[in-house]
Amino acid sequence: MEHSQVSTQVFMATAQTLVAGSRGLLAMDESTPTCNERFAALGIPQTEDARRMYRDWIVATPGLSEYVSGAILYDETIRQRTRVGVPFAKAVADAGIIPGIKVDTGKESMAGHPGESVTEGLDGLRARLAEYAQMGARFAKWRAVFTVGEGLPSRGCIEVNAQALARYAALCQEAGLVPVVEAEVLMDGAHTLQRCGEVTEAVLQAVFHEFYTQRVALEGLILKPNMVLPGTACPAQGSLDEVAAATVRCLLRTVPAAVPGVAFLSGGQPSELASARLNAINVRVRLQMHTPWALAFSFARALQEPALEIWKGKQAHEGAAQRALCHRARCNAAARRGEYKPAMEAGGP
Ligand code: 13P
């Protein structure tokens, strides 16, 4: 089905808004098992109500919309209400933030491909997207994951995940939602910065090839890739400049100019390092290699982690946790402008 002109205009305008200025996305769409894992590590009860309270104070954070343009919700959350009885998508929109939703149903191990996974969730997706749109979601995320190792990722893994990303993206646009296309090359392993660059390039080439084949409108999507980084066990961790150069080079080789924005995932990087690297990327783009698309953030852990550690499930800690969340959002918005400075972490300007 071809998109109507009106719905095309709607999702393209949403994509532009998500990456306009220096704001970025807050990924708060951890699945229940992942959220529970993070709660368990801090002794927070792993209950539906605790997850609801957590998402409740995040959305109520004063001033968050100054730095955050969109928030990605999880299925459980979008069906819940805040403590004052407002459905979450409405609470997000009322806060001046565009509500989004995670629509993949997680990764499964891939048959015949030991150590690799394929992301599922296409069955029934058209109906689920219509329901989420009706609930107020205006964009939708899907995450494909690639492991780097000897002979990995395989061609089969890259192609099957790229095809699924294109099928999901086309369905989102049909429903008037912006696909936020997450293709994550994992940091686990001892691989070099250069190898991550090669793998990321191969993955993104395959993804945009499938987008072309499956008639995904490039003007109406946001790409959510990893930064090009060495594996966490690689002895050479690379300077900020090296990471920025490798990341921008990889994206210039693969991402068509019609795409409005790139919003990086954080992937388990320490929060302050993620901000410093996002800053280095934007400084490089401003000074040397101009890019046609915005370079923004769509972080989960690098925005939430310090705040979650303060909250620890205690209502009395909510204000301090909100301030920590807002601080990270402010640092990352500064990084988008190339104005982040480590002194900001000590409460500086
Ligand atoms: P991280 O920023 O923690 O990598 O999470 C991004 C995300 O949306 C994972 O799907």
Side-chain angles (χ1 to χ4, degrees), residues 27-30 38 72 102 141 143 182 184 224 264-268 298-303:
M28 49 182 290
D29 61 331
E30 297 80 8
R38 292 186 189 156
I72 315 173
K102 182 226 294 287
K141 187 197 92 172
R143 173 175 181 250
E182 182 170 11
E184 176 169 7
K224 175 165 175 165
F264 295 104
L265 60 94
S266 60
S298 177
F299 295 163
R301 284 165 285 181
L303 280 168

Side-chain angles (χ1 to χ4, degrees), residues 14-329:
T14 306
Q16 295 281 354
T17 307
L18 284 171
V19 294
S22 58
R23 297 197 297 171
L25 306 186
L26 166 62
M28 49 182 290
D29 61 331
E30 297 80 8
S31 66
T32 296
T34 302
C35 190
N36 284 348
E37 211 177 288
R38 292 186 189 156
F39 279 13
L42 294 165
I44 302 167
Q46 292 120 66
T47 61
E48 180 180 344
D49 206 46
R51 293 190 294 276
R52 185 174 67 85
M53 294 312 279
Y54 179 48
R55 271 71 183 247
D56 186 315
W57 66 252
I58 287 179
V59 171
T61 298
L64 196 61
S65 67
E66 203 178 319
Y67 315 112
V68 170
S69 56
I72 315 173
L73 303 173
Y74 179 56
D75 181 78
E76 177 182 83
T77 316
I78 203 169
R79 296 176 193 284
Q80 290 171 326
R81 287 172 183 264
T82 64
R83 70 187 89 177
V84 293
V86 180
F88 264 90
K90 180 169 182 337
V92 170
D94 288 349
I97 295 172
I98 300 177
I101 180 76
K102 182 226 294 287
V103 296
D104 66 72
T105 55
K107 57 188 172 63
E108 292 291 335
S109 57
M110 191 175 159
H113 292 70
E116 298 197 287
S117 66
V118 56
T119 300
E120 300 201 332
L122 289 169
D123 289 353
L125 183 58
R126 178 178 270 135
R128 287 198 291 126
L129 289 171
E131 187 190 10
Y132 289 136
Q134 202 262 327
M135 290 168 136
R138 291 173 54 198
F139 67 97
K141 187 197 92 172
W142 178 291
R143 173 175 181 250
V145 187
F146 304 92
T147 303
V148 183
E150 188 136 351
L152 300 185
S154 66
R155 201 62 224 162
C157 175
I158 292 175
E159 284 180 9
V160 80
N161 279 292
Q163 282 173 8
L165 282 169
R167 287 187 61 195
Y168 125 86
L171 283 163
C172 285
Q173 293 184 339
E174 181 188 275
L177 301 177
V178 176
V180 172
V181 177
E182 182 170 11
E184 176 169 7
V185 176
L186 295 171
M187 285 160 48
D188 304 324
H191 54 273
T192 61
L193 177 76
Q194 191 196 349
R195 174 102 170 100
C196 177
E198 288 163 6
V199 171
T200 305
E201 191 174 327
V203 165
L204 296 181
Q205 285 286 1
V207 167
F208 283 102
H209 176 78
E210 284 298 330
F211 283 175
Y212 179 71
T213 308
Q214 297 191 43
R215 304 181 180 169
V216 174
L218 299 175
E219 292 83 353
L221 66 88
I222 303 295
L223 179 69
K224 175 165 175 165
N226 50 284
M227 295 178 189
V228 174
L229 302 174
T232 45
C234 178
Q237 278 300 300
S239 65
L240 294 177
D241 280 347
E242 284 165 342
V243 164
T247 301
V248 175
R249 186 185 315 123
C250 176
L251 295 173
L252 280 171
R253 286 176 177 173
T254 52
V255 184
V259 172
V262 170
F264 295 104
L265 60 94
S266 60
Q269 301 176 66
S271 306
E272 297 181 13
L273 186 55
S275 300
R277 284 169 167 163
L278 180 64
N279 188 71
I281 287 168
N282 277 290
V283 166
R284 183 168 194 88
V285 165
R286 253 144 240 253
L287 297 181
Q288 296 182 28
M289 317 160 79
H290 298 283
T291 60
W293 5 260
L295 289 157
F297 56 93
S298 177
F299 295 163
R301 284 165 285 181
L303 280 168
Q304 292 180 47
E305 242 164 27
L308 179 59
E309 279 167 22
I310 291 169
W311 178 54
K312 287 206 174 74
K314 305 240 171 12
Q315 197 170 353
H317 297 180
E318 282 179 5
Q322 287 176 328
R323 285 190 289 280
L325 175 66
C326 206
H327 172 69
R328 288 261 54 83

